[in-house]
Amino acid sequence: GNYEAMMTDSAEKRAMDSKSLTDREGAKADMTAELEGSEGDKASASKELMVLEQYMTALHAECDWLLQYFEVRKQARADEVDSLGKAKAVLSGADFSLIQRNARARKFLHH
């Protein structure tokens, strides 16, 4: 009786140990798969971060250029608007006599 009980307990313990081992191996496989997935996500996020950093560098350079030449471009636009205003005035005949007088003065100076 005592020996049989001990053998039964022993068999149950082995079955539980075996199940526990199987459960642990399954948990390990799940964690390994999760780790591989996380490593893939990390690699993907790292690539995305690199692309974003390159984009930020390009934007920074563009902003620096825009700031550096802002006054030059602003003056060029003001000059262009001024020239267009004068051209419009000429085309509408407003300063035609003044332009003729300047042209005559230039001819006179060139002779």
Side-chain angles (χ1 to χ4, degrees):
N2 209 359
Y3 176 78
E4 286 169 13
M6 190 176 84
M7 292 309 279
T8 305
D9 288 349
S10 211
E12 285 173 4
K13 185 175 181 334
R14 278 196 305 276
M16 285 171 61
D17 286 349
S18 178
K19 184 185 181 318
S20 174
L21 183 64
T22 303
D23 290 349
R24 277 184 278 176
E25 285 171 349
K28 182 185 174 208
D30 290 347
M31 283 189 253
T32 301
E34 196 176 321
L35 178 64
E36 285 169 4
S38 295
E39 286 170 349
D41 291 347
K42 182 185 176 206
S44 176
S46 293
K47 282 181 194 156
E48 193 176 337
L49 181 62
M50 197 168 69
V51 168
L52 287 174
E53 285 171 345
Q54 288 170 347
Y55 179 61
M56 279 173 52
T57 301
L59 276 183
H60 203 303
E62 191 177 340
C63 283
D64 287 347
W65 186 88
L66 287 171
L67 288 170
Q68 186 177 353
Y69 293 103
F70 176 77
E71 289 302 323
V72 173
R73 288 171 29 256
K74 183 177 165 188
Q75 187 58 53
R77 275 194 310 276
D79 293 346
E80 189 177 353
V81 168
D82 190 47
S83 296
L84 288 169
K86 287 177 183 167
K88 187 176 171 189
V90 168
L91 289 173
S92 64
D95 291 334
F96 196 66
S97 60
L98 178 68
I99 285 173
Q100 279 184 322
R101 241 180 305 162
N102 283 345
R104 263 190 244 117
R106 272 198 294 276
K107 273 187 195 165
F108 175 77
L109 291 172
H110 284 32
H111 283 104

